[in-house]
Amino acid sequence: MAETQDALLIAGGDHVHRDDVGIKLGMWLFLFTELILFGGLFLVYAVYRYLHPQEFHLAAQELDALVGTINTILLLTSSLTVAMSITAIREGRKWLSIALVLVTIILALAFLGNKYFEWAHKFEHGIYPRSPLLLEMPPGEILYFGLYFVMTGIHALHVIIGMVVLGFSVRFLWTGVITEHSYVRLEAGALYWHLVDIIWIFLFPLFYLLH
Amino acid sequence: MAEPSVVDYLHAPSKHRGPLSWILSTDHKRIGILYLVTMSFFFSVAVFLGFLLRLELLTPGKTIVDPQIYNELFTLHGMIMIFLFIIPGLPAVFGNFMLPILIGAKDVSFPRLNLLSWWLFLSGGILAVVSLFLPGGPVDTGWTFYIPYSVRTNTTVIPAMTAAFILGFSSILTGINFITTIHRMRAPGMSWFRMPLFVWSLYATGWIQILATPILGITLLLVIIERLFGVGIFDPSLGGDPVLYQHLFWIYSHPAVYIMILPGMGVVSEIIPVFARRTIFGYKFIAFSSIAIAFFGSLVWAHHMFTVGMSDTGQFIFSLLTFLVSIPSAIKIFNWVATMYKGSIALEVPLLYVLAFIVQFSIGGFTGMMLGALSINIHVQDTAFVVGHFHYVMFGGAGFAAIAAIHYWFPKMFGKMYNKRQAIIGWALLTFGFQVLYFPMFVMGYKGMPRRYYDYLPQFQIYHQISTVGSWIVVLGLLIVLHNLITALRKGERAEMNPWGGVTLEWTVPSPPPVENFVTVPTVTTGAYDYSRYEKKA
């Protein structure tokens, strides 16, 4: 009894208090901030598309819709597998859950690989910020490619952050921090992954399909 | 009196030793004190920079520094005051310390995230300081980082912006933490309309932090990308629009002024009932007006940009919305004054600061309405009038509320009482010096003195001189306040549990509060300011 009393009095000790709803609420609030971060970018896109509709239209034809479609399929599938991993851990199937999160990470890697080749392809064609070819284009096309690099770049950064988050989920599943009775951390990680997915769902048509 | 078996948070045993037991503590009270100490440091630095600025403006032409240094001084004064003191100020210090106690909780929802917020705050602050000494020299763009100068200048814009980005992240995490705490951690019986009004103001502030700060984040990121890669998003030669930068900047930075003032209004709502011994008048109106300010405040940003050449319709709408924001603010003022009416008023130090707040905030508010009116705005855009208005609401409002809060909660936080006579002298000097310092800015601004100018015409000198003398009085007042509080820490008298006769929950726990705040979790049965209950007991 005296020991628990002491434990309670230690400043800086973890307060033993479990609130799954609270954790998810906090996660949702954080996702709002991420959405608004991209909201600023969508706003910039909307303004410049409104000012240069014709040039955006032409520039968009330079992008390969097939590459974008493959990446969309990859990300959507990865959202499915991460959702399945939650169902798996709920049923107590730890190894299946780990495998599903790992598949999610592999799909994310495939997405990034695809993105890498896409960017490299653009660079080879002389399209990159301040490239001589780009500077000869009309302003709307310069802005289109500028926004393409900025927005898909920041999105790719979020894919990487999401992979780190999922990596921790694997570790927590492995070490038994996430169990069938306490899987809110996995849910929070999956929520973040869905955010990465949904932002792509908006980027994809804005850059690849509107032409 | 404190029961001997309960250890207060200042002396609690910890698994870490010495300073580590503070900088690694997840106790919301210790984190509040960490913020208080770091923020007082940054505040002092910024006050000193402001003092130098005023000294430079004592005479036309060069008085003490060169133009370049002058530009750096006003940029740093603004940056430090805004990003390191007044935006995080009240929520981070008093929100952290008091929020859980006020709603009867043991801590915030995410204590470790809370500590991370402080570490981010410290890292941002250190980065801002380090950027002063990097090659290129201190940033000289003004705290608004306006394009195109912020892309062209050779000063250390990227480190300074990264610092602001990190500080924004810290602010977001605090907002998330507070909102979750208010939703999830209230004690039994603490319904939404029994919460103290400071908690309501923190709730509204939290939402602005969450919804507005990311826009600043992406804006700063875009400018950094511009500087590094020259993508052209804000560069007219590549089709970009510099005015779009201003829109994005103010979409965050106007709501940010409500992040600064709302918690201050919350503090005023706490202090007035206690020293008037009356239940607050119009509780629900004050609570909802905080939410209304947060909402309308998000829709008025372009009133900072009436001269950029936007459409008449745009100007008209933003001007109208600006006037609408003044309604919830006025509701608060009327309710505070009505609370004091026929109250049993005790003119203690915290109330004195609050009275100064009400007068100064009203002056700042009215001049804000003048600025919101299109005809006057065009006339006084970018003059000292704007500087005067801004300092009346931010220093005279939020700043005074912060000093009121420290005088109100000091005995609770440290269990010591300061010298009240000295505190009143400090208050008198500060309040008097404040008017001398800032009121002349309205006059010279109206007569055409531009802001941020190094040199000026001789006819403005008398106003600059009065203002500079005011800055000396303000600094003297601040020194007395600081000296008084530090002396009280070392050898102040022991404070009672409830020195002011407050009825909110923080006054039911010992001073300083025990580690887990409450020995038994309280059950709340009445509203926050029920003085009828208090009088019956007496």
Side-chain angles (χ1 to χ4, degrees):
Chain A
M1 186 61 209
E3 273 175 26
T4 38
Q5 197 71 19
D6 280 347
L8 282 175
L9 290 175
I10 290 175
D14 290 333
H15 298 274
V16 184
H17 169 85
R18 186 175 155 189
D19 180 7
D20 288 358
V21 179
I23 289 174
K24 268 188 270 185
L25 175 63
M27 195 63 205
W28 273 106
L29 291 173
F30 182 67
L31 297 186
F32 285 173
T33 71
E34 290 277 19
L35 283 176
I36 290 170
L37 185 94
F38 276 93
L41 289 171
F42 287 129
L43 183 67
V44 174
Y45 178 95
V47 169
Y48 289 143
R49 186 170 189 107
Y50 173 77
L51 291 175
H52 310 279
Q54 204 58 41
E55 291 162 6
F56 265 57
H57 190 84
L58 284 173
Q61 291 170 359
E62 295 278 321
L63 291 193
D64 188 345
L66 180 67
V67 180
T69 312
I70 292 171
N71 261 353
T72 308
I73 294 169
L74 286 174
L75 266 197
L76 281 176
T77 317
S78 73
S79 255
L80 174 70
T81 52
V82 82
M84 285 162 71
S85 79
I86 295 172
T87 317
I89 194 69
R90 265 191 203 149
E91 292 175 358
R93 297 158 80 178
K94 175 177 166 180
W95 298 107
L96 178 63
S97 183
I98 290 176
L100 283 164
V101 181
L102 285 174
V103 170
T104 311
I105 295 176
I106 291 166
L107 288 168
L109 273 174
F111 174 91
L112 285 177
N114 204 356
K115 187 101 261 166
Y116 171 80
F117 288 117
E118 194 189 12
W119 273 37
H121 191 67
K122 287 277 160 304
F123 278 46
E124 277 167 24
H125 280 69
I127 294 178
Y128 50 89
R130 296 235 156 239
S131 70
L133 180 70
L134 197 62
L135 289 182
E136 281 171 20
M137 292 182 181
E141 297 197 30
I142 299 176
L143 287 172
Y144 175 87
F145 285 111
L147 284 171
Y148 161 76
F149 284 119
V150 170
M151 290 171 81
T152 57
I154 294 178
H155 176 258
L157 213 59
H158 281 76
V159 174
I160 294 168
I161 297 168
M163 285 165 63
V164 173
V165 171
L166 292 177
F168 274 101
S169 300
V170 171
R171 205 190 131 192
F172 288 143
L173 280 163
W174 200 288
T175 53
V177 177
I178 298 175
T179 63
E180 58 179 307
H181 305 295
S182 169
Y183 47 83
V184 67
R185 283 164 199 256
L186 183 60
E187 283 183 304
L191 274 176
Y192 191 84
W193 192 252
H194 292 319
L195 169 93
V196 171
D197 190 9
I198 197 142
I199 288 169
W200 179 257
I201 296 296
F202 284 92
L203 289 178
F204 173 55
L206 287 181
F207 283 105
Y208 294 85
L209 300 184
L210 285 177
H211 58 74
Chain B
M1 277 305 296
E3 295 167 40
S5 62
V6 178
V7 187
D8 73 67
Y9 78 101
L10 290 168
H11 299 97
S14 159
K15 56 185 174 187
H16 304 289
R17 283 164 184 280
L20 282 185
S21 70
W22 282 84
I23 60 176
L24 295 178
S25 170
T26 54
D27 182 340
H28 67 98
K29 298 181 288 300
R30 288 199 168 197
I31 293 173
I33 303 292
L34 287 177
Y35 272 115
L36 179 64
V37 173
T38 34
M39 231 168 253
S40 305
F41 169 74
F42 290 124
F43 176 69
S44 310
V45 172
V47 167
F48 181 64
L49 296 174
F51 173 79
L52 292 180
L53 277 177
R54 279 309 331 159
L55 204 56
E56 168 53 41
L57 290 170
L58 188 62
T59 58
K62 182 176 170 172
T63 311
I64 52 166
V65 294
D66 292 325
Q68 177 63 24
I69 308 273
Y70 174 82
N71 288 352
E72 292 164 7
L73 281 178
F74 75 64
T75 304
L76 291 171
H77 170 76
M79 250 191 80
I80 296 176
M81 276 294 188
I82 285 174
F83 291 116
L84 285 158
F85 173 65
I86 208 143
I87 287 183
L90 280 159
V93 177
F94 300 102
N96 260 316
F97 199 103
M98 287 299 165
L99 167 64
I101 306 182
L102 285 171
I103 59 171
K106 289 183 172 178
D107 208 317
V108 291
S109 275
F110 310 115
R112 279 190 292 184
L113 193 69
N114 204 15
L115 182 63
L116 176 68
S117 297
W118 179 75
W119 274 100
L120 287 172
F121 172 77
L122 186 70
S123 321
I126 290 174
L127 185 59
V129 173
V130 167
S131 76
L132 306 184
F133 304 102
L134 294 177
V139 59
D140 61 348
T141 58
W143 77 277
T144 45
F145 300 117
Y146 266 18
I147 291 276
Y149 187 62
S150 56
V151 172
R152 287 189 191 150
T153 175
N154 288 322
T155 53
T156 50
V157 173
I158 291 181
M161 283 193 160
T162 312
F165 187 90
I166 295 173
L167 292 168
F169 201 47
S170 159
S171 174
I172 286 175
L173 294 182
T174 302
I176 291 175
N177 218 336
F178 284 3
I179 289 191
T180 314
T181 306
I182 294 168
H183 273 279
R184 301 295 304 167
M185 306 277 283
R186 282 170 289 129
M190 177 63 79
S191 60
W192 283 88
F193 293 112
R194 284 180 185 165
M195 294 195 312
L197 288 162
F198 183 53
V199 178
W200 269 103
S201 72
L202 288 174
Y203 187 71
T205 308
W207 275 110
I208 311 177
Q209 284 174 311
I210 289 174
L211 296 178
T213 318
I215 296 285
L216 177 75
I218 194 64
T219 311
L220 296 177
L221 208 57
L222 284 174
V223 177
I224 291 173
I225 290 172
E226 279 304 307
R227 278 184 76 93
L228 290 176
F229 306 111
V231 174
I233 289 176
F234 300 125
D235 183 349
S237 67
L238 299 178
D241 185 359
V243 174
L244 188 57
Y245 168 83
Q246 294 189 22
H247 276 290
L248 288 170
F249 180 81
W250 289 114
I251 286 176
Y252 163 74
S253 295
H254 191 79
V257 305
Y258 298 105
I259 297 180
M260 306 177 206
I261 194 69
L262 275 174
M265 293 171 154
V267 167
V268 172
S269 307
E270 291 302 304
I271 290 177
I272 285 183
V274 175
F275 295 95
R277 293 288 185 275
R278 284 203 58 197
T279 306
I280 196 140
F281 185 82
Y283 172 94
K284 281 193 180 177
F285 271 88
I286 297 182
F288 282 126
S289 66
S290 291
I291 306 293
I293 289 175
F295 178 75
F296 285 115
S298 304
L299 303 172
V300 300
W301 74 86
H303 68 210
H304 293 266
M305 310 162 49
F306 282 149
T307 51
V308 301
M310 71 175 103
S311 71
D312 287 351
T313 319
Q315 290 193 331
F316 174 76
I317 290 171
F318 279 111
S319 177
L320 180 71
L321 286 166
T322 304
F323 277 89
L324 288 181
V325 184
S326 65
I327 296 174
S329 310
I331 287 175
K332 282 182 194 282
I333 302 262
F334 290 137
N335 281 316
W336 292 329
V337 176
T339 305
M340 286 190 280
Y341 178 66
K342 285 190 178 171
S344 164
I345 290 173
L347 269 182
E348 297 275 4
V349 186
L351 187 66
L352 287 174
Y353 276 104
V354 162
L355 295 178
F357 172 101
I358 292 180
V359 174
Q360 286 156 189
F361 182 76
S362 299
I363 294 176
F366 277 122
T367 49
M369 307 259 296
M370 289 168 73
L371 287 168
L374 289 168
S375 50
I376 303 179
N377 183 287
I378 305 295
H379 179 69
V380 295
Q381 171 92 21
D382 264 337
T383 64
F385 191 90
V386 180
V387 182
H389 155 72
F390 188 69
H391 284 84
Y392 260 86
V393 280
M394 285 303 127
F395 185 12
F400 269 63
I403 306 175
I406 186 78
H407 282 92
Y408 177 56
W409 279 315
F410 188 88
K412 179 55 63 188
M413 294 167 92
F414 301 104
K416 300 278 179 68
M417 184 54 95
Y418 46 83
N419 180 330
K420 291 183 183 174
R421 235 178 84 88
Q422 223 183 86
I424 291 177
I425 296 172
W427 167 81
L429 279 171
L430 201 52
T431 312
F432 176 68
F434 178 88
Q435 324 302 332
V436 180
L437 169 54
Y438 295 113
F439 204 84
M441 293 189 184
F442 288 129
V443 184
M444 66 174 139
Y446 201 79
K447 290 182 175 224
M449 173 70 213
R451 70 193 288 203
R452 290 177 174 175
Y453 271 34
Y454 176 72
D455 202 357
Y456 53 81
L457 296 171
Q459 70 253 36
F460 294 119
Q461 190 174 7
I462 179 68
Y463 306 111
H464 279 295
Q465 282 175 336
I466 297 173
S467 181
T468 302
V469 171
S471 76
W472 299 339
I473 306 174
V474 164
V475 169
L476 183 67
L478 284 172
L479 285 175
I480 290 175
V481 170
L482 193 67
H483 172 263
N484 187 22
L485 293 178
I486 289 175
T487 316
L489 270 186
R490 287 171 50 228
K491 43 190 175 189
E493 278 178 41
R494 210 173 143 59
E496 302 159 39
M497 192 161 135
N498 189 359
W500 311 122
V503 290
T504 37
L505 282 175
E506 80 271 36
W507 305 112
T508 65
V509 298
S511 305
V515 174
E516 300 251 298
N517 300 345
F518 300 93
V519 180
T520 49
V521 174
T523 302
V524 182
T525 52
T526 59
Y529 310 100
D530 190 354
Y531 271 92
S532 58
R533 172 186 58 160
Y534 185 80
E535 278 159 11
K536 270 176 210 158
K537 266 188 194 168

